[in-house]
Amino acid sequence: MPTSPAQPPRPEPQPTESLLPEPQPTASRRPQPRPARRLPPGHLTAACLTLAALLPTHAHAAPVTITAAWSGTAYRLTLRGLTPTDGTLRAEPDRSGATLTFRAALPPLNRTVRTATGDLTITIKGHTVTARTADRRPLRVNLSYIRPGVIPGQDATTAIDLYPPESWTEYQPEPTTPCTPSRPGAGVPGAGVPSAGVPELPYQPPTFATGPVGFYLAQIDPRTGTPLRVITHDPDSLYPLASTYKQVIAWAAYRDINAGTLTLNTRLTVTEANRSIETYQPGTRTVQNLITQAITRSENTASDILHLHLTPQRVQALADAHGTCHTRVNMTTKAWWAAQAGLLPGVYGPDLPTSAQQAFTAPPEQQAATAAQAVTQAQTLNADTLLNALDRYFYSPAYHPQTEVYLQNRSTPREWATLITRQYLDPTLTPTNRSALRRTLAQGCCRVNDPSVTYWGSKAGSGWRNLTMSGLLTLNTGQTFVYAYFNTGSDLMDSALIEQQLPSVAQYILQNARRIGKSTP
């Protein structure tokens, strides 16, 4: 696996005592919680998507050959010998078809495919592939580069998957009951408690997103964290957190540093057991390096090493102690990916969808025990083998977006935003450690380059049809906002493409913060 270069720690700014503005980093990094070595797929959106060049640019050694057959719930065109160094996908305005254009000439094809709800017509001529539904029903199209070994016995291929209307699986946000005003033994108000009497502005949905969106944005008192005005949508339903949960790992690490049980120079070693999927830095690494890489590059291995050292039980206890009642942060990335890939049958059994739902609805003590088993057993797996198995799972009929909230770390928009507020305000941290944590989070994805923003702390995450972003920002007016954006079940598959929405998500958050700011008397 390729490795990421080490980044030296930034010099510390002067510590602060509240959420008032601090110096900004010069850049942020885009998260990569899914493989970056696959060609981004295209889907039916209003925009024209330009595909990145992820394959070699050498000339074709042989003519392109195409095979077409059902692959699970999708009708797949497999293009062998194609190097899609440049291509576009354009959607019909009514979403009933798509046109794909490649540099390479393709063999001609005219085919009608019968489905349960009507016919699909596929035409290939010259450099162009067109797909349409005869009855003008929505058709979802996914263009992707499938790495060698993902499909057993098959070399790398480019695939065009056509999903007729009846084959598409939708995500249904899992409803919850908001936390009670206080939890016995917690010592703080419930983190997901709606604030009575707080003015709420109307929700305006993001125009770029498809699928369910959970959203919570609040202007807060920068010293107490009290919500002053809010914009919400489905704030009390559960969504998978993806990599946005990694900021709580950084928080837990700084609490141990603050307590003197850990230092930034403590060295932890990457092993076969604690290595997760995708790119990573091998060897023995400092806690400073691990925290930085987990936030700036969303490195799964760095996050998992810290998570295992801190222990998932203690990280979960941190969330519980701050009044959450639905938030779960006790799964390492390797554990939830292994569970989704079906590589933990000893934990979840042979019928993954049923077992995952049973684990999700089990009593809290049993949920915790199952998560602990998954974390332990995942450490016996090779990360490269896991990555191939995971890709096969996502391309198979076994995938359903509902399993992500069952198996991954999860929260509600309201609970998560409130927990993030308490992370930034944590009175147990010294001013120096609080400032260092804030500085690290300011290096996360995806600050808008706007002079009105004086602080932007963020962590994003992505996955198969899943995009998340949460954090805190301060405007030059002194107004401070906390936000949580969750989009699961998007029409866009694979993080490489859905991550292209991250700048739009950040702009959407900033626009809503300004809406609240302008409404302030």
Side-chain angles (χ1 to χ4, degrees), residues 34 38-45 49 51 71 73-79 88-91 97-100 102 120 129 131 139-146 157-164 167-168 391 393-396 399 463-465 490-498:
R34 287 280 304 129
R38 185 192 299 118
L39 183 68
H43 282 271
L44 302 189
T45 63
L49 303 176
L51 304 177
S71 176
T73 58
Y75 192 76
R76 173 172 289 179
L77 303 177
T78 302
L79 290 70
T88 58
L89 182 150
R90 290 184 183 274
T99 301
L100 303 97
F102 300 95
L120 304 179
V129 179
L139 177 69
R140 291 171 168 95
V141 180
N142 182 52
L143 175 63
S144 56
Y145 169 60
I146 304 176
T157 60
T158 296
I160 302 172
D161 288 327
L162 311 177
Y163 292 86
S167 71
W168 193 249
D391 279 351
Y393 163 74
F394 282 129
Y395 279 110
S396 77
Y399 169 73
W464 198 253
R465 299 177 62 186
S490 168
D491 284 2
L492 297 179
M493 289 186 177
D494 199 301
S495 67
L497 182 63
I498 199 171

Side-chain angles (χ1 to χ4, degrees), residues 1-2 7 11 24 43 59 80 99 125 131 144 169 196 257 261 265 315 321 324 347 356 377 379 382 435 463 474:
M1 273 192 172
Q7 294 186 345
Q24 282 296 301
H43 282 271
R80 291 184 173 86
T99 301
K125 183 177 181 180
S144 56
T169 53
I257 291 166
T261 58
N265 293 322
V315 175
T324 66
V347 180
Q377 290 197 19
Q379 293 177 66
N382 172 267
S435 178
T474 301

Side-chain angles (χ1 to χ4, degrees), residues 259-271:
T261 58
L262 191 67
T263 74
L264 290 173
N265 293 322
T266 299
R267 302 182 71 82
L268 302 172
T269 301
V270 178
T271 66

Side-chain angles (χ1 to χ4, degrees), residues 66-247:
I66 297 178
T67 57
W70 284 100
S71 176
T73 58
Y75 192 76
R76 173 172 289 179
L77 303 177
T78 302
L79 290 70
R80 291 184 173 86
L82 175 66
T83 304
T85 57
D86 190 14
T88 58
L89 182 150
R90 290 184 183 274
E92 294 296 310
D94 62 0
R95 297 165 59 89
S96 65
T99 301
L100 303 97
T101 306
F102 300 95
R103 284 184 179 178
L106 308 175
L109 177 72
N110 287 283
R111 179 160 299 186
T112 299
V113 180
R114 296 294 177 89
T115 76
T117 55
D119 293 344
L120 304 179
T121 60
I122 305 168
T123 303
I124 303 179
K125 183 177 181 180
H127 298 253
T128 303
V129 179
T130 59
R132 300 285 185 275
T133 53
D135 56 0
R136 305 192 74 82
R137 287 196 174 195
L139 177 69
R140 291 171 168 95
V141 180
N142 182 52
L143 175 63
S144 56
Y145 169 60
I146 304 176
R147 297 180 297 107
V150 170
I151 300 176
Q154 182 172 300
D155 293 334
T157 60
T158 296
I160 302 172
D161 288 327
L162 311 177
Y163 292 86
E166 71 275 8
S167 71
W168 193 249
T169 53
E170 304 289 353
Y171 177 72
Q172 299 296 325
E174 295 284 347
T176 67
T177 301
C179 299
T180 55
S182 63
R183 299 182 63 209
V188 294
V193 178
S195 300
V198 175
E200 184 162 353
L201 275 68
Y203 170 72
Q204 297 177 356
T207 58
F208 53 83
T210 56
V213 173
F215 186 65
Y216 183 93
L217 184 142
Q219 181 187 355
I220 60 172
D221 183 300
R223 288 184 167 81
T224 66
T226 304
L228 305 176
R229 287 165 185 78
V230 299
I231 297 173
T232 74
H233 180 70
D234 199 21
D236 300 312
S237 291
L238 283 171
Y239 292 82
L241 289 168
S243 285
T244 198
Y245 93 98
K246 292 174 183 175
Q247 58 192 304

Side-chain angles (χ1 to χ4, degrees), residues 247-248 251 419-426 429 437 441:
Q247 58 192 304
V248 170
W251 179 24
L419 187 64
I420 294 303
T421 301
R422 293 179 178 169
Q423 166 187 289
Y424 277 87
L425 282 172
D426 189 350
L429 295 179
L437 175 60
L441 296 171

Side-chain angles (χ1 to χ4, degrees), residues 442-484:
Q443 298 177 59
C445 173
C446 304
R447 172 178 174 163
V448 177
N449 186 17
D450 188 290
S452 69
V453 177
T454 57
Y455 178 82
W456 191 298
S458 181
K459 182 70 193 76
S462 66
W464 198 253
R465 299 177 62 186
N466 187 24
L467 191 68
T468 63
M469 188 187 297
S470 63
L472 180 140
L473 68 95
T474 301
L475 301 180
N476 57 8
T477 58
Q479 297 167 312
T480 297
F481 305 85
V482 65
Y483 61 90

Side-chain angles (χ1 to χ4, degrees), residues 394-406:
F394 282 129
Y395 279 110
S396 77
Y399 169 73
H400 195 291
Q402 213 70 21
T403 60
E404 302 199 329
V405 76
Y406 297 158

